């Protein structure tokens, strides 16, 4: 699960690829991006901090947390796809000083978005409808909190397969806002056998394998988030979902290209940066 989170963290870019999402709350900044509801599914920041500490021992003050984050996403993509997703990314990013939960909530795509809201959100960062669909494929791995998809628990059959809706309701009543795997293939065998016995042959013993199953699940209406289902309501997006469901190799290539583009998102013009000693805090106070 920690590897999958590395990829999802890399997808969170508010002011460019500057590792702002890794900053902890501080006296000067009590509500960093981590505290935004849209980022509720992110975790495993300790893994990236461990990597940073190891790098600092060998090369102090040389490699930024921003570079480490995208390198971790690169390596996680390769590992979780059995080498099918591979991309090279340039180095040289600086870590940002600004991390604001309200800004993250405003700038990042939300799981409740309509397809037009998704398109507009991605277009603001110069990403196309095709790239929106490509990057959504990362939901073949990871998990989401029930609070992120409450609307799906009562959605009509034309939006979600009723048996899968029943499964989600069951999982979401197991505790206070539990998390549920994004991919039905990664759900526990007993739960799948109870609610969707025809799917049990596809349950994996090892979770988080990154591939094009997201698109098959989308077409079968067994995806968790409203934003996932919304892709089927737009002509071009729906066509791309079919395209990647039919061609796993094409998605591997296009996902890698889109991650490279994401890694090059610039910080705001005129903004300053640094190479943090620890990813969770800036090196010096800016206030």
């Amino acid at each position: 699960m920690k590897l999958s989170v590395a990829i999802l963290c890399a997808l969170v870019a508010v002011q460019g690829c500057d590792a702002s999402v890794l900053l902890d709350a501080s006296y000067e900044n009590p509500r960093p991006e981590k505290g935004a509801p849209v980022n509720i599914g992110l975790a495993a920041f300790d893994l990236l901090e461990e990597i940073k500490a190891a790098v600092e021992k060998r090369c102090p003050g040389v490699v930024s947390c921003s570079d480490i984050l995208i390198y971790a996403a690169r390596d996680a993509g390769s590992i979780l796809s059995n080498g099918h997703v591979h991309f090279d990314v340039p180095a040289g990013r600086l870590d940002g000083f600004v991390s604001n939960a309200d800004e993250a909530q405003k700038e990042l795509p939300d799981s409740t978005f309509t397809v037009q809201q998704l398109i507009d959100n991605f277009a603001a960062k110069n990403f196309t409808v095709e790239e929106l669909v490509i990057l959504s494929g990362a939901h073949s791995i990871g998990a989401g909190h029930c609070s992120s998809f409450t609307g799906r628990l009562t959605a009509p059959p034309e939006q979600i397969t009723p048996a899968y809706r029943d499964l989600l309701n069951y999982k979401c009543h197991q505790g206070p806002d539990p998390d549920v795997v994004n991919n039905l293939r990664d759900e526990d065998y007993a739960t799948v056998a109870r609610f969707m016995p025809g799917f049990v042959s596809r349950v994996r013993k090892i979770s988080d394998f990154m591939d094009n199953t997201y698109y098959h699940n989308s077409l079968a209406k067994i995806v968790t988030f409203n934003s996932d289902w919304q892709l089927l309501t737009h002509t071009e997006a729906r066509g791309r979902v079919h395209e990647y469901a039919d061609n796993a190799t094409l998605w591997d290539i296009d996902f890698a290209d889109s991650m490279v583009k994401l890694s090059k998102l610039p910080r705001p013009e005129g903004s300053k940066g640094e190479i943090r000693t620890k990813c969770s805090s800036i090196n010096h106070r800016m206030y």
Side-chain angles (χ1 to χ4, degrees), residues 13-273:
V14 176
Q15 295 204 12
C17 190
D18 68 347
S20 55
V21 72
L22 303 183
L23 288 172
D24 282 343
S26 64
Y27 178 79
E28 298 88 351
N29 185 26
R31 294 192 69 246
E33 291 176 26
K34 287 180 180 179
V38 73
N39 283 333
I40 190 174
L42 299 183
F45 297 107
D46 58 322
L47 172 63
L48 294 165
E49 201 69 82
E50 289 174 13
I51 295 171
K52 174 62 173 176
V55 171
E56 282 296 303
K57 286 184 179 179
R58 297 289 298 272
C59 308
V62 175
V63 184
S64 69
C65 295
S66 307
D67 280 345
I68 288 174
L69 179 55
I70 197 62
Y71 292 156
R74 174 200 63 192
D75 294 348
S78 179
I79 293 169
L80 294 174
S81 67
N82 282 345
H84 293 142
V85 172
H86 176 76
F87 54 95
D88 295 316
V89 289
R93 298 167 195 79
L94 291 178
D95 301 322
F97 295 116
V98 178
S99 182
N100 183 277
D102 292 335
E103 187 176 9
Q105 193 64 31
K106 177 182 176 182
E107 294 290 331
L108 297 175
D110 191 270
S111 61
T112 63
F113 273 10
T114 66
V115 70
Q116 192 57 54
Q117 287 175 308
L118 290 168
I119 291 171
D120 292 344
N121 182 277
F122 273 68
K125 290 183 169 61
N126 198 33
F127 281 82
T128 65
V129 172
E130 179 182 15
E131 289 164 331
L132 159 63
V133 176
I134 292 167
L135 291 171
S136 295
H139 285 167
S140 67
I141 58 176
H145 285 266
C146 288
S147 58
S148 298
F149 56 85
T150 53
R152 298 287 282 164
L153 303 181
T154 56
E158 56 268 25
Q159 297 181 15
I160 187 172
T161 297
Y164 184 59
R165 183 185 60 203
D166 293 343
L167 183 150
L168 292 180
N169 272 283
Y170 169 76
K171 297 290 289 189
C172 288
H173 283 86
Q174 299 307 300
D177 199 20
D179 58 349
V180 179
V181 293
N182 292 336
N183 199 324
L184 180 60
R185 169 201 64 191
D186 297 332
E187 190 55 80
D188 68 271
Y189 186 93
T191 300
V192 176
R194 176 179 174 181
F195 291 96
M196 301 184 68
F199 197 91
V200 292
S201 63
R202 285 179 275 178
V203 173
R204 287 174 56 89
K205 293 182 179 179
I206 301 176
S207 63
D208 280 340
F209 179 69
M210 194 165 71
D211 58 10
N212 72 329
T213 53
Y214 165 81
Y215 302 101
H216 294 279
N217 292 347
S218 294
L219 294 172
K221 298 176 183 175
I222 52 173
V223 285
T224 307
F225 303 117
N226 177 70
S227 54
D228 292 329
W229 171 78
Q230 283 283 328
L231 296 181
L232 298 182
T233 69
H234 184 271
T235 301
E236 181 183 352
R238 183 171 61 252
R240 297 296 184 183
V241 170
H242 279 280
E243 179 180 27
Y244 292 116
D246 293 338
N247 194 331
T249 300
L250 179 63
W251 180 76
D252 292 339
I253 296 170
D254 288 352
F255 181 75
D257 290 343
S258 295
M259 287 296 290
V260 172
K261 180 176 178 178
L262 187 69
S263 76
K264 295 179 179 179
L265 281 177
R267 292 181 298 113
E269 186 175 353
S271 62
K272 297 180 179 180

